[in-house]
Every structure is written in C-alpha cells, then in structure tokens.
Amino acid sequence: MTAELGKQQSVETVMDAIADADPQTTAGRVDPLLSSSGGAGQWVTPSSRPEHIQQLISGVDRYNPQNLETLHDYLASQLDSETYDCLANLAILKLYQFNPSDFNYVVVINILLKALTAAPLPDFQLCLSLLGEASLAPNFPASADSQQEQPTPAAAAKAEDDDDAKSTTAAAAPSASSTINLAGNLTDPLILKLANLSNLLNQARFRAFWDAYGSEEYEEVRKYATEVGGFEESVRGVALEAVKGAFRSISEERMGGYLNLKGSALAEYIQAQSGWKLEGGKVIVPVNVNNEIKATVIREEITFDQFTKLLAQAA
C-alpha cells in the first residue's frame, strides 16, 4: 500500500510540475492528448473537484472503504453535472480491488462510460486495468475501412472531393470473436461492448461507433448511457477534436457521419462552434496549432551555472 501511495504521489507531482511550468518553455512538449482535454493540470486536478474530495484522494484515506459512499456520491454528481474526474473514479475501482464485497456493477459501468468519453486519453484502459489482469491490447484485424475512417492529413486531402467523401463507407463493428481480448480477462458482455466502443473512438472510426451504438445489440449500453448526462455530446466532442486536429475542410456529409447529425441539427451544431463555418456543402475548420503546417522552434534556456556543472561532470 505504501508503494502504491508513493507511486500515485510521484505521478501527481510530475503532472503538477507540467501544469505549473512556463507555457513558453513547455509549448510543443506537453502531450497533445492532454492539451486537447484541458491540459495536464485539469486532468490531475479538475476545477470541478470539491476540496474534500481533493483531500480524500490525495492521502491514505483513498484506501479507506468507509469513504466509498462519499466517492459514489461524487460520481453521481459527475453524471448529473457533465463533469469528469478520472483520478477520483479510479480510486473507487481501487477500493473495489481491495474490498471485492463492496463491488457495485452499476457504478463500474458508469465509470467506464465517463472514461470512454475522455478519448483519446487512455482513461478507459486505466479503468480496465483495475478490473482485469490480462493484456488490454486490442485484437482488431487491420482493414482498409478502418484506415480510411481515421481522419489523417492524407484523408483531409481526399475530403476536398465530395465524390471521395461519398464513396467512404462506415466500417462495420467488429464481431464478438474479435473483441475477446479488448477487456483483458473480463468476460462481461456489457463491458466488452464498451471496450469495443472505446476502441472505435480511439481509432477515430466515428461512423462505425455510431452504427454500433445505435444497433439493437447495444440497446443495454444506450440504457446506461441515458443516465450519463451529455454522453452523446461528449462523444461528438471527441470527434470534433479529431477533425480539428487533422482537417482544414471536410465535406458536410462526412462530418455529419462523424457527429451522427444531419440537416438543420448538423448546421446548428457547426454554427455553435467558435470559428467553424458551413459553406457550399463543406465544413470549414478554423486554423489551429494542430492543423496548420508550420515549423516550430523550441528554445532551451541553459544558464552558465548549469553549463559549468555539465562540463565538470564530463571532466
């Protein structure tokens, strides 16, 4: 337990150091996955986290099973308020590891649903690692469809042609046999379905995600998702970030497939995004640091004292 606590504190120390660092010197070096989700500091210490929860998960009290009710209440508030706190939710799963008799299936599903919408961050895999012991590596066969669905810069060029966009078909959801290793040694059908959806999001196969999510087979997933405030909007946010990082323009039809919206609903959604425009059947993506081809120069500031110490060590 002491080693586990020390590891947790060391991780938080590193993440806090990144969050508090001078943005001029850390620009371009912070993981883009974290920067797209509000930054390292927001992931470690969300602004929505109450002070009593901060104190609870920062010390040994996070291993006290008597605090489960408090953490459960905090999770319920996340579901209602559309906020998210990965570390607090991981603390619940860790307590379930130490106290199997307290395991709550519904709570676990809610945690996984919240983690799923944090893609492309590895939050979902972190949660699974506390539920299963086997390898969590996905076992999806590579296919042309899956590669075509990913919004890469090369795909952005193809998106300029409406005919190419129309010829792009949604990849079918993998069969049950291909998802056997998605959740480690877990065999619960619902968790396997969530693992499948998480994998589709991480592969940027958004149309395949919506096809699977809306299918009859995933009816139980939708039932639980209705209890998670803003679940579908959060998934659309994941798709929006992926498009924003790879495209300068994309066909309206293709964007609608990624967001599972069309017609006036799609137009209203695009217009609500700052800087986004819908013109002539194309969605114009605002220029940002990820989709702009621009050389980045990183300056490393080394003081004379540091340089002399380096020479002294080399001597």
Side-chain angles (χ1 to χ4, degrees):
M1 182 180 297
T2 302
E4 181 72 25
L5 179 59
K7 181 179 179 181
Q8 172 67 22
Q9 290 176 334
S10 64
V11 170
E12 292 191 1
T13 300
V14 172
M15 299 301 284
D16 285 337
I18 295 175
D20 296 336
D22 184 355
Q24 295 293 333
T25 59
T26 58
R29 288 186 288 174
V30 177
D31 193 325
L33 300 186
L34 288 173
S35 63
S36 67
S37 301
Q42 182 66 15
W43 187 86
V44 174
T45 311
S47 57
S48 59
R49 179 188 293 166
E51 180 61 29
H52 71 283
I53 297 294
Q54 174 65 30
Q55 294 178 358
L56 191 157
I57 66 175
S58 298
V60 294
D61 282 341
R62 70 196 306 266
Y63 297 101
N64 186 348
Q66 295 181 356
N67 291 321
L68 260 177
E69 184 176 353
T70 300
L71 291 171
H72 285 167
D73 291 341
Y74 181 44
L75 174 62
S77 71
Q78 294 178 52
L79 301 180
D80 294 335
S81 61
E82 300 183 24
T83 56
Y84 176 59
D85 192 335
C86 180
L87 294 184
N89 296 343
L90 289 174
I92 295 176
L93 299 182
K94 176 60 71 174
L95 282 171
Y96 287 167
Q97 268 194 334
F98 292 154
N99 307 275
S101 60
D102 293 326
F103 185 89
N104 187 316
Y105 180 78
V106 175
V107 168
V108 168
I109 297 301
N110 286 333
I111 289 176
L112 291 177
L113 283 168
K114 292 295 290 185
L116 189 149
T117 61
L121 292 175
D123 294 17
F124 190 88
Q125 284 70 28
L126 289 174
C127 293
L128 285 186
S129 69
L130 295 179
L131 296 173
E133 298 177 356
S135 171
L136 304 179
N139 189 29
F140 278 98
S143 66
D145 285 339
S146 65
Q147 295 175 0
Q148 195 171 21
E149 280 292 323
Q150 297 183 28
T152 61
K158 292 184 179 180
E160 296 296 330
D161 188 343
D162 285 341
D163 292 336
D164 288 341
K166 291 179 181 179
S167 65
T168 304
T169 57
S175 63
S177 61
S178 67
T179 64
I180 192 66
N181 291 332
L182 274 177
N185 63 352
L186 300 175
T187 57
D188 179 77
L190 181 55
I191 293 181
L192 287 175
K193 289 183 176 68
L194 293 177
N196 178 31
L197 292 177
S198 175
N199 193 67
L200 292 174
L201 280 183
N202 284 312
Q203 290 183 341
R205 297 169 61 190
F206 302 117
R207 283 181 287 192
F209 172 91
W210 292 114
D211 287 344
Y213 178 74
S215 66
E216 183 178 352
E217 182 183 357
Y218 282 69
E219 181 179 0
E220 188 177 10
V221 173
R222 295 195 300 275
K223 182 183 72 172
Y224 279 98
T226 57
E227 302 298 323
V228 180
F231 175 79
E232 294 186 4
E233 285 300 306
S234 297
V235 173
R236 292 189 178 100
V238 174
L240 201 70
E241 286 295 325
V243 171
K244 186 168 66 174
F247 291 84
R248 294 291 292 274
S249 67
I250 180 174
S251 71
E252 180 180 351
E253 180 184 3
R254 192 170 192 176
M255 190 67 190
Y258 288 164
L259 299 176
N260 196 34
L261 296 172
K262 57 184 178 180
S264 60
L266 175 61
E268 291 176 4
Y269 186 88
I270 295 300
Q271 292 171 2
Q273 310 306 316
S274 177
W276 292 63
K277 298 178 182 179
L278 189 58
E279 298 178 353
K282 289 184 179 293
V283 177
I284 308 302
V285 183
V287 176
N288 59 77
V289 68
N290 292 318
N291 68 2
E292 183 180 21
I293 302 176
K294 184 177 180 180
T296 302
V297 178
I298 299 176
R299 295 184 58 186
E300 296 286 352
E301 299 291 342
I302 301 178
T303 64
F304 183 75
D305 290 340
Q306 291 174 322
F307 189 67
T308 55
K309 291 179 181 179
L310 179 63
L311 292 178
Q313 292 176 353

